[in-house]
Amino acid sequence: MSSSQPANESANTKANASSRVRTLDSQSILAGQTQVRIQHGDIQYRLCLTKENKLILTK
């Protein structure tokens, strides 16, 4: 950050950038299941919901 740029302006820029990121609800992705496969190019990943209600993404 340059000294001529106020700190809050930099924070606002970051906030605006994150507001443009699409948000998906995990319940809509899992659709009642505890795991789903996600294909990314030639690689397949698995998204799992644990008993502790945490998400784990693995290859």
Side-chain angles (χ1 to χ4, degrees):
M1 176 170 43
S2 70
S3 59
S4 63
Q5 184 182 32
N8 64 347
E9 184 178 328
S10 177
N12 289 339
T13 302
K14 289 179 184 178
N16 289 337
S18 66
S19 68
R20 291 188 295 257
V21 174
R22 188 170 76 157
T23 300
L24 301 173
D25 184 78
S26 62
Q27 290 179 342
S28 67
I29 295 169
L30 292 166
Q33 303 296 311
T34 57
Q35 57 182 296
V36 295
R37 292 186 182 138
I38 301 171
Q39 190 72 36
H40 181 67
D42 294 337
I43 302 172
Q44 192 172 82
Y45 294 86
R46 186 169 60 179
L47 181 66
C48 299
L49 179 65
T50 69
K51 291 178 183 177
E52 295 81 27
N53 201 35
K54 296 183 181 197
L55 295 174
I56 300 174
L57 181 65
T58 58
K59 274 189 176 180

